[in-house]
């Protein structure tokens, strides 16, 4: 079995264990191949830690490091204590055995609790895969970093930490209709033994990461550049550095689909580069409008996952946006957010199957657009 198929086996196993979390699992797999970091946002009890832990357990020869950060976490708890023997000789050398600098898979829970004592070291580790402490400098073997939190940062210093995670994905509670499946899957997972899990070696992942850099992106580069320009014009920040690194994610989508050339649908991963929750729908509208026309294949399953919209829910959103526009004194940025959301709703409306419902909602959207133009 080739490494790509082996990794897909691991991902299928995790999806089977965690019902309703396919999106998160697929993005973890893609980030792993791309050697990029992923951030999970969600309330407690949504299986963020458990999903990441099971993935790390499926790396058979890798060293894994997991830590729950608090405001009082000290550098020694993450990087290791100073070597006492070397300290007596006047050298500041860290004993990193079993700590983050030796790990191939790293998970930080509640990462935005990071304090100033460890923040700079974390930023360098996440961005450059380098550990620096005093005169010590060493390369980190980490295949990827995963961070999780139940809230987005407000402090500017912590916003820099979020910026080190290329992809961001929400982890919500599973649909109540799937609760029975969730209970059964959880029960099976409790009884599972390590021998029953599919595994992939860290060396195989490194091979995939190298292969990822050889994926041909030429067929989609023009569309990608157009998207970056479009996102920047709507106020979604895509720095030159992030634009370069996002190519790794696009290439990983192609590679995990057993292709060596990227196609338009591989751009689906760009839906997960949001900085705020308000940007999630805006990104989905922009990216879905582009990839839904792609007929090349085989596409990544998540690229094809486009829920058929509920007409009632879309109409509720139109009414909500209308009331918000009329009912409050809005800043320029808030008005732009409402316009972007309305564009997204308008795009989703075109997917409604019932022609009568679609026509009615489209007319209501057009009325709201006219009103917005008149009052802007």
């Amino acid at each position: 079995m080739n490494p790509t198929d082996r990794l897909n086996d691991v991902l299928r196993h995790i999806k089977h264990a965690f019902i309703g979390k396919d999106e998160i699992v697929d993005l973890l797999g893609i980030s792993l191949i791309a050697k990029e970091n992923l951030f999970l946002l969600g309330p407690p009890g949504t299986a963020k830690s458990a999903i990441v832990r099971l993935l790390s357990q499926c790396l058979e020869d890798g060293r894994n490091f997991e830590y729950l950060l608090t405001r009082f976490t000290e550098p020694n708890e993450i990087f290791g204590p100073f070597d006492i023997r070397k300290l007596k000789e006047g050298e500041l050398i860290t004993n990193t055995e079993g700590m983050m600098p030796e790990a191939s898979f790293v998970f930080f829970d509640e990462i935005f609790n990071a304090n100033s004592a460890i923040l700079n070291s974390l930023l360098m580790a996440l961005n450059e895969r380098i550990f620096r402490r005093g005169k010590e400098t060493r390369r980190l073997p980490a295949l990827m970093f995963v961070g999780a939190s139940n809230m987005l940062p407000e402090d500017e210093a912590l916003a820099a930490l979020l910026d080190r995670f290329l992809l961001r994905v929400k982890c919500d509670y599973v649909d109540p209709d799937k609760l029975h499946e969730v209970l059964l899957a959880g029960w099976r997972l409790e009884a599972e033994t390590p021998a029953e899990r599919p595994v992939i070696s860290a060396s195989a992942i490194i091979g995939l990461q190298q292969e990822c850099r050889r994926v041909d992106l030429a067929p989609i580069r023009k569309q990608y550049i157009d998207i970056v320009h479009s996102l920047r014009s709507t106020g979604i920040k895509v720095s030159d550095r992030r634009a370069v690194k996002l190519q790794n994610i696009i290439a990983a989508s192609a590679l995990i689909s057993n292709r060596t050339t990227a196609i338009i649908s591989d751009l689906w991963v760009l839906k997960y580069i949001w900085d705020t929750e308000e940007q999630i729908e805006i990104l989905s509208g922009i990216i879905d409008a582009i990839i839904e026309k792609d007929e090349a294949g085989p596409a990544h399953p998540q690229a094809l996952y486009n829920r058929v919209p509920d007409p009632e829910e879309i109409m509720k959103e139109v009414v909500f946006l209308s009331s918000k526009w009329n009912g409050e004194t809005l800043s320029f940025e808030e008005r732009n957010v409402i316009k972007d959301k309305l564009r997204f709703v308008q795009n989703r409306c075109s997917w409604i199957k019932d022609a009568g419902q679609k026509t009615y909602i489209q007319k209501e959207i057009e009325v709201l657009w006219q009103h917005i133009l008149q009052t802007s």
Side-chain angles (χ1 to χ4, degrees):
M1 184 183 294
N2 68 47
T4 304
D5 291 338
R6 191 173 292 280
L7 178 58
N8 277 319
D9 266 1
V10 168
L11 299 180
R12 275 191 292 270
H13 175 75
I14 300 171
K15 291 177 192 176
H16 188 60
F18 294 97
I19 303 300
K21 306 293 185 182
D22 289 12
E23 177 185 48
I24 295 167
V25 176
D26 281 327
L27 287 166
L28 281 167
I30 280 176
S31 298
L32 188 57
I33 288 181
K35 201 177 181 180
E36 299 292 351
N37 306 324
L38 181 136
F39 170 70
L40 296 171
L41 174 68
T46 50
K48 300 188 297 295
S49 304
I51 293 170
V52 176
R53 193 172 298 124
L54 183 54
L55 176 58
S56 70
Q57 290 168 352
C58 291
L59 292 175
E60 61 179 347
D61 59 355
R63 297 181 179 183
N64 306 310
F65 183 81
E66 175 184 336
Y67 208 83
L68 173 64
L69 296 180
T70 73
R71 288 177 298 165
F72 308 105
T73 300
E74 297 181 355
N76 290 356
E77 300 172 57
I78 304 295
F79 310 113
F82 286 116
D83 190 317
I84 300 298
R85 289 170 299 179
K86 295 289 184 181
L87 192 58
K88 289 178 180 178
E89 298 169 9
E91 292 185 75
L92 289 177
I93 303 296
T94 306
N95 180 4
T96 58
E97 186 177 355
M99 308 304 285
M100 187 275 280
E102 294 188 3
S104 53
F105 192 96
V106 182
F107 174 53
F108 289 121
D109 201 1
E110 297 303 335
I111 190 163
F112 298 126
N113 283 335
N115 56 54
S116 57
I118 62 174
L119 190 56
N120 286 339
S121 295
L122 274 183
L123 289 173
M124 181 166 285
L126 289 165
N127 193 45
E128 301 174 42
R129 298 294 197 273
I130 289 176
F131 167 59
R132 183 171 294 159
R133 196 178 189 190
K135 294 182 179 179
E136 283 185 273
T137 300
R138 67 176 78 175
R139 286 229 158 251
L140 300 177
L143 300 171
M144 74 178 294
F145 289 85
V146 179
S149 178
N150 56 18
M151 66 182 70
L152 290 171
E154 296 180 1
D155 183 84
E156 192 172 327
L158 295 176
L161 194 54
L162 176 63
D163 186 61
R164 298 306 192 269
F165 292 90
L166 196 60
L167 294 186
R168 299 87 186 262
V169 58
K170 285 192 71 175
C171 188
D172 290 319
Y173 294 109
V174 175
D175 190 314
D177 293 340
K178 294 184 177 180
L179 183 57
H180 180 68
E181 295 176 69
V182 170
L183 295 176
L184 288 177
W187 188 252
R188 285 195 303 267
L189 185 61
E190 288 290 329
E192 182 184 87
T193 64
E196 296 175 280
R197 297 184 194 124
V199 293
I200 184 168
S201 67
S203 58
I205 294 295
I206 292 170
L208 286 173
Q209 290 176 342
Q210 293 168 347
E211 195 175 339
C212 183
R213 303 304 189 267
R214 295 192 288 270
V215 170
D216 182 11
L217 298 179
I220 57 91
R221 190 159 276 123
K222 180 185 181 302
Q223 290 86 346
Y224 175 54
I225 292 171
D226 290 343
I227 288 174
V228 171
H229 288 315
S230 176
L231 295 180
R232 286 174 173 175
S233 67
T234 60
I236 297 175
K237 297 176 183 176
V238 184
S239 66
D240 291 347
R241 178 177 62 84
R242 288 178 68 79
V244 170
K245 290 171 76 68
L246 282 167
Q247 293 178 109
N248 297 330
I249 298 290
I250 297 167
S253 173
L255 186 59
I256 207 166
S257 303
N258 281 303
R259 283 183 279 104
T260 56
T261 302
I263 58 178
I264 297 296
S265 65
D266 290 318
L267 298 171
W268 71 276
V269 293
L270 301 180
K271 291 191 284 186
Y272 302 92
I273 62 171
W274 44 267
D275 293 315
T276 65
E277 292 184 69
E278 288 76 20
Q279 292 176 354
I280 295 175
E281 289 186 353
I282 297 167
L283 279 164
S284 293
I286 292 171
I287 304 304
D288 282 340
I290 294 168
I291 66 176
E292 67 192 21
K293 298 168 186 174
D294 184 29
E295 296 180 355
H300 190 284
Q302 289 296 340
L304 306 175
Y305 183 66
N306 195 6
R307 297 184 187 89
V308 176
D310 182 343
E312 186 176 337
E313 290 300 318
I314 286 188
M315 193 61 221
K316 282 182 182 177
E317 185 67 15
V318 174
V319 172
F320 170 75
L321 293 175
S322 179
S323 64
K324 193 167 180 62
W325 183 271
N326 293 318
E328 300 178 26
T329 302
L330 302 170
S331 67
F332 178 76
E333 290 77 12
E334 289 170 331
R335 284 172 174 256
N336 280 341
V337 167
I338 291 175
K339 291 176 185 178
D340 286 333
K341 285 188 175 181
L342 187 56
R343 291 188 190 97
F344 171 74
V345 169
Q346 192 169 30
N347 179 63
R348 296 292 290 146
C349 184
S350 64
W351 288 82
I352 295 174
K353 292 183 177 180
D354 186 283
Q357 291 175 321
K358 177 162 64 176
T359 301
Y360 175 78
I361 296 173
Q362 284 174 334
K363 286 181 180 177
E364 292 298 311
I365 291 174
E366 189 57 39
V367 168
L368 179 53
W369 271 125
Q370 290 299 324
H371 178 62
I372 287 174
L373 291 171
Q374 291 167 5
T375 55
S376 292

